[in-house]
Amino acid sequence: MKVLKFGGTSVGSAQRIKEVAKLITDGEQKIVVLSAMSGTTNTLVEISDYLYKKNPEGANEIINKLEHTYKKHVDELFSTAEYKQKALEMIKSHFDYIRAFTKDLFTLFEEKVILAQGELISTALMNYYLQECGTSSVLLPALDYMRTDKNAEPDPVYIKDKLQIQLELHPGVEIYITQGYICRNAYGEIDNLQRGGSDYTASLIGAAINATEIQIWTDIDGMHNNDPRIVENTTPVRQLHFEEAAELAYFGAKILHPTCIQPAKYANIPVRLLNTMDPTAPGTLISNDTEKGKIKAVAAKDNITAIKIKSSRMLLAHGFLRKVFEIFESYQTSIDMICTSEVGVSVSIDNTKHLNEILDDLKKYGTVTVDKNMCIVCVVGDLEWENVGFEAKTMDAMKDVPVRMISYGGSNYNISFLIRECDKKAALQSLSKELFDNN
Ligand code: ASP
Ligand code: MG
């Protein structure tokens, strides 16, 4: 069985819901994971913010507006009085529930419940719509099988067992619809898999049922070999190794949430990225296969800060790096890139919330320099160290760009350059020309 996930824009209007319904009705049995309709989760966050600030009037105003929007969706989506009625009652019950939280103490727990309503509504709408069309479909309640453990990590054994039970309750149904993103935590409370977590849901389900394929449907045509906002003539990448996709997902290729990679990779289930706006386009297939020796894509990540610590004490000493890393750890700041020499180490970070404290602490160990407004450009492909030529090719493309750090060898799939943000465009264009023209 396949698992198909549709993101917020793919179900962002009544028309889009109808198109997705058409797309998934092909007689094959499948699990369909949906996000909330686009904008809804953000609006629910906004409502929560008003409630944290003890402003129920502000919250109610947005709640009423959102409810009104949903009523319009219902009106457009359904053609029979029976289903219109059912859907309106469903919408009303969710919004009454949200309104109930404007009257009492508001904590993280209540916020999670409010955030869950977006996916609960979008899936209920899709399920009713399919039923109105005469398609055999049923809702699988994510809150009954999707669960995290005490470390807030998904609990694969629980998910597999409970999902199996849910599926067995409805044998022979063509389309199982379920909510992305939402789950319960180890204490049974409503929780979520973090913003953008619907991709993760799809991947966890795929692994749990040993799916033949996980499809992530968005409104973009697969992963591209470069940033289309910056470089002309980018082309979609048709095949990626999971590790390559992970590097690209992290480097801001918005199309796939990085957490989605791991469960699919370990269960060896291919992930296919497809475009709802162009359903017959081949998209991008992500699997454990490597295209030998091929450089696949270039991506960039902005807002990077580089920090260099130079110390003669590092020379021939041990434990120096540990002390440096501990400082970052104590401020919960993760390090992206690292380069070392015998007398110094440079690291890059993207979270500068505690930069000043980190710098003060680092100064105890040596001379510290900081470069802000930097950017990581990463080249992704089969960069196995025994392959030759890829280093020279990428370096050649970067020959006119001032490079602050270079990192290779952390994985076989990436080589990263730290440059100034203002040089990003030139770097991406030059890499594109060097690596992908004439391919
Ligand atoms: N609706 C959630 C969000 O906007 C989850 C998702 O769309 O993946 O973050
Ligand atoms: Mg998303």
Side-chain angles (χ1 to χ4, degrees), residues 35-36 41 119 181 195-198:
S35 289
T41 311
E119 271 72 9
Y181 173 62
R195 292 304 306 273
S198 295

Side-chain angles (χ1 to χ4, degrees), residues 67 71 87-97 99:
E67 183 176 19
K71 283 181 178 164
L88 283 176
E89 276 165 22
M90 179 274 292
I91 297 290
K92 183 170 185 312
S93 79
H94 283 285
F95 280 90
D96 285 349
Y97 191 43
R99 266 186 215 99

Side-chain angles (χ1 to χ4, degrees), residues 186-247:
Y187 312 98
E189 295 154 352
I190 294 184
D191 207 331
N192 59 59
L193 300 172
Q194 311 287 332
R195 292 304 306 273
S198 295
D199 294 355
Y200 202 10
T201 302
S203 181
L204 291 165
I205 293 177
I209 64 159
N210 197 18
T212 49
E213 184 171 290
I214 298 160
Q215 298 184 345
I216 306 288
W217 289 81
T218 69
D219 56 347
I220 313 171
D221 188 17
M223 283 225 194
H224 279 243
N225 64 358
N226 206 326
D227 189 334
R229 292 164 303 186
I230 296 177
V231 177
E232 279 173 33
N233 303 326
T234 62
T235 51
V237 182
R238 294 295 169 219
Q239 199 278 333
L240 286 168
H241 187 274
F242 279 116
E243 302 276 346
E244 294 169 336
E247 302 280 1

